Amino acid sequence: AVAHPAPAGGRRRLAVLVGAAAAVLIAVLGARYVLDADTPTDKHAILPSSVAVLPFKNLSPSEDDAFFAAGMHEELLGELARIRGVNVIGSTSVQRYAQNAPPLPVIAAELNVGTVLEGSVRYAADRVRISVRLVDGKTGAELWADTYESGLDDAFRVQSEVAQRVSTALEPALGGGTRAASRPTTSAAAYALYLKTLSLYRTHGGIGVSMPVPIRATMKEYLDRALELDPEFAAALGWRAHVNLDALMFGAFDEDEWAVANEAMTRAVETDARRALELDPAQGAAHATLARLDMYRWRLADARATLDRALDVTPNDPSVLHYSAMLDFLRGDPGQAIAAARRALELDPKNPAPHAPLSMALRASGDLRGAIAAYERMIDAAPTAAIGYIGLARTQTATADGALVMETLRFGEQFLEDLRSFRLDAALSYAHAGARADAERLVAEFERRSAGQHVDSSLQAMAALARGDHAAARAAVERALTTRTVGADPLPLAQIRENTWSDPALELPEWRELRERLAYRR
């Protein structure tokens, strides 16, 4: 969800209003479509050998140290995700239980897991005390409980011990499945800065494209300071690569500075990620970042190999599975994309992100009802995120119901904020619905916000398509074909390739030939 700088009471009122409005919208949409029986719902069979790790309660004397509990929770999730055979629910889905959580059996039923782990952290004077207990999801009976106390620099041993106990409790045959406890940094101060970074990222939505620029800058500052204290801190290197790639892909650069910045930042991202993997081959963030960088440079075979290696060492990482789904869509393999996205949602059912590649892949495979349902569930999970509404409207263009498309777009526009490229996406859907004035308005807003900045050729093509200038659009696509290996968001060209806005002009012979050239060649 998008963070709003409103007072607490205002945020609660906003959440209630938005949630109610989203529910009304979804109810209207649901009345018009029969959901595909094969589309995942919130109710599944219980996952075998599964656990939901709830956010740790912060018992530290200072509220300023709440980051430590959040960071320890994230680290433990990462440790458990490395255990093959254990299904670990992702961070996004469990964060909703941080406050006013229902009884543990209710949580287990909502997340389709057999066990729930809850705990607390008390951090003070570089000492940490962690209390944890694992309960049976159906009965609420305690399976085991323990308390650990150590210095901050020994926290890694604690995480590994807890992960080992969880795997042993879930399935005795998995008892030897964890790796030996590692000590990725010898600096307690560096570790604290790293945990602050993780906490900051999660508390501001955990979606790179929507991350506020000042928050991204603060995260990089924390990671830079951590790496000054310990240059061999693998996790910090992997996360700095991740943050820098977000800045490269979603940040704004003056046109005359972009070529130099692109080369320098690409080199920095790759250097950090590869060094992280040299130090710790199981760093999921580093693997995912390298794969994303390969997608950015249209090296899709390299991205596939990188993600396969990541899944080998972190088989339960929903983020890696999400990017696998996106990659398979880019490669023109909707079946594999659907399977990866559904597995990501199985492990992180309340995470909105995997619904986007799932919907696009379902539509590419001919399942329009399933594609619409996927975006409806994305809105349900993140009712203040523009991406869900813009994607839903784009998918609705295939129904030829222009009024419905405009209804969705006008509701979603309130959440656009500074998301430049989504304006063009929405403009194309408005144009398809016959709302040419709205399409022109959004293109003009995009151009005003992007004045003097670098704009990818694919986005220039989208702007021209929204205005109906197909000659300019084809010229922009031709430019994109020759420059996409330099670095660009690959998704807009894939959407043009699939004609996801149902533009009749893109079905003309000259466009069909050009769209065929956009396909990935293995």
Side-chain angles (χ1 to χ4, degrees):
V2 177
H4 294 269
R11 285 198 298 271
R12 284 193 293 271
R13 287 191 294 273
L14 174 65
V16 170
L17 290 171
V18 168
V24 169
L25 178 63
I26 292 172
V28 171
L29 301 177
R32 302 193 187 191
Y33 298 99
V34 178
L35 301 185
D36 191 325
D38 293 330
T39 302
T41 66
D42 288 339
K43 299 298 182 183
H44 301 272
I46 298 300
L47 290 169
S49 299
S50 54
V51 62
V53 183
L54 301 186
F56 285 2
K57 296 177 182 177
N58 174 45
L59 302 182
S60 304
S62 173
E63 189 60 32
D64 292 340
D65 291 330
F67 75 89
F68 191 84
M72 284 292 292
H73 174 248
E74 193 73 29
E75 280 290 276
L76 180 56
L77 283 175
E79 191 77 21
L80 286 166
R82 303 178 188 217
I83 306 173
R84 188 168 298 281
V86 175
N87 288 297
V88 187
I89 299 302
S91 175
T92 306
S93 293
V94 294
Q95 286 297 336
R96 64 199 297 262
Y97 301 109
Q99 303 291 334
N100 302 319
L104 296 187
V106 174
I107 295 174
E110 290 179 350
L111 298 178
N112 309 304
V113 294
T115 60
V116 179
L117 182 78
E118 64 176 356
S120 62
V121 176
R122 187 182 191 279
Y123 170 55
D126 290 337
R127 297 286 298 175
V128 58
R129 180 182 178 89
I130 303 175
S131 298
V132 292
R133 73 183 192 112
L134 186 71
V135 303
D136 182 276
K138 186 175 182 179
T139 66
E142 186 175 282
L143 300 176
W144 63 265
D146 214 336
T147 297
Y148 303 83
E149 187 163 358
S150 70
L152 180 59
D153 58 356
D154 207 24
F156 315 112
R157 175 188 59 79
V158 172
Q159 292 161 10
S160 185
E161 285 185 14
V162 173
Q164 181 75 43
R165 290 290 302 274
V166 171
S167 67
T168 302
L170 291 175
E171 180 63 57
L174 299 175
T178 55
R179 62 190 179 92
S182 63
R183 190 182 299 275
T185 179
T186 57
S187 169
Y191 187 53
L193 288 163
Y194 167 69
L195 294 184
K196 281 187 176 182
T197 301
L198 295 185
S199 179
L200 198 60
Y201 184 74
R202 295 305 178 196
T203 55
H204 284 82
I207 302 176
V209 67
S210 300
M211 193 63 55
V213 172
I215 298 301
R216 190 183 295 137
T218 301
M219 291 168 59
K220 178 154 185 314
E221 178 188 344
Y222 287 160
L223 293 167
D224 285 345
R225 285 164 53 193
L227 288 164
E228 287 174 4
L229 295 167
D230 182 0
E232 304 289 85
F233 190 173
L237 283 165
W239 265 86
R240 186 168 70 178
H242 171 83
V243 171
N244 278 334
L245 182 56
D246 278 354
L248 176 60
M249 292 185 67
F250 309 128
F253 298 89
D254 289 344
E255 182 61 54
D256 57 358
E257 297 175 354
W258 182 81
V260 173
N262 180 58
E263 182 179 356
M265 293 182 71
T266 297
R267 189 185 312 114
V269 167
E270 188 163 19
T271 297
D272 276 352
R274 293 198 182 283
R275 181 55 181 156
L277 293 175
E278 288 174 3
L279 295 165
D280 180 3
Q283 278 297 321
H287 281 293
T289 299
L290 282 178
R292 292 174 60 212
L293 186 61
D294 284 332
M295 285 187 264
Y296 175 76
R297 297 180 293 185
W298 201 243
R299 300 176 182 177
L300 302 192
D302 292 340
R304 181 70 271 162
T306 298
L307 287 171
D308 286 344
R309 288 193 295 272
L311 289 170
D312 187 53
V313 294
T314 58
N316 293 313
D317 190 329
S319 178
V320 173
L321 287 160
H322 166 222
Y323 288 120
S324 290
M326 187 64 72
L327 173 62
D328 288 329
F329 173 73
L330 295 175
R331 285 163 56 93
D333 192 343
Q336 287 286 69
I338 291 166
R342 283 180 169 162
R343 175 58 176 160
L345 288 167
E346 188 175 55
L347 290 171
D348 204 356
K350 305 302 179 182
N351 185 349
H355 287 292
L358 174 62
S359 179
M360 290 186 290
L362 286 169
R363 184 175 178 186
S365 68
D367 184 358
L368 178 59
R369 290 179 299 172
I372 288 173
Y375 270 122
E376 288 174 346
R377 291 191 176 91
M378 188 178 200
I379 292 170
D380 187 49
T384 60
I387 184 173
Y389 302 98
I390 304 307
L392 178 59
R394 184 198 317 128
T395 310
Q396 289 167 339
T397 59
T399 69
D401 188 341
L404 180 63
V405 172
M406 288 190 287
E407 176 186 353
T408 304
L409 289 170
R410 285 176 177 148
F411 189 88
E413 270 199 66
Q414 64 186 302
F415 308 118
L416 278 174
E417 297 185 350
D418 293 326
L419 301 177
R420 298 185 306 161
S421 62
F422 287 152
R423 280 178 165 73
L424 297 181
D425 198 336
L428 278 160
S429 295
Y430 268 131
H432 173 83
R436 287 287 175 184
D438 286 307
E440 175 59 34
R441 170 176 58 80
L442 289 182
V443 173
E445 286 181 12
F446 170 84
E447 291 176 339
R448 175 177 57 80
R449 290 168 178 267
S450 303
Q453 296 175 355
H454 174 74
V455 176
D456 291 340
S457 297
S458 57
L459 297 183
Q460 294 172 5
M462 288 173 64
L465 281 171
R467 282 177 163 153
D469 188 345
H470 287 266
R474 287 194 298 273
V477 171
E478 292 281 4
R479 290 194 300 273
L481 280 167
T482 64
T483 61
R484 64 182 170 183
T485 57
V486 176
D489 183 351
L491 191 55
L493 288 180
Q495 292 172 326
I496 292 173
R497 179 194 73 201
E498 296 293 330
N499 190 12
T500 53
W501 300 277
S502 306
D503 187 340
L506 297 188
E507 300 302 327
L508 296 175
E510 61 270 27
W511 266 110
R512 292 185 68 87
E513 184 275 334
L514 185 56
R515 288 167 52 210
E516 176 62 25
R517 289 165 56 197
L518 290 173
Y520 174 66
R521 305 299 181 188
R522 293 172 176 82

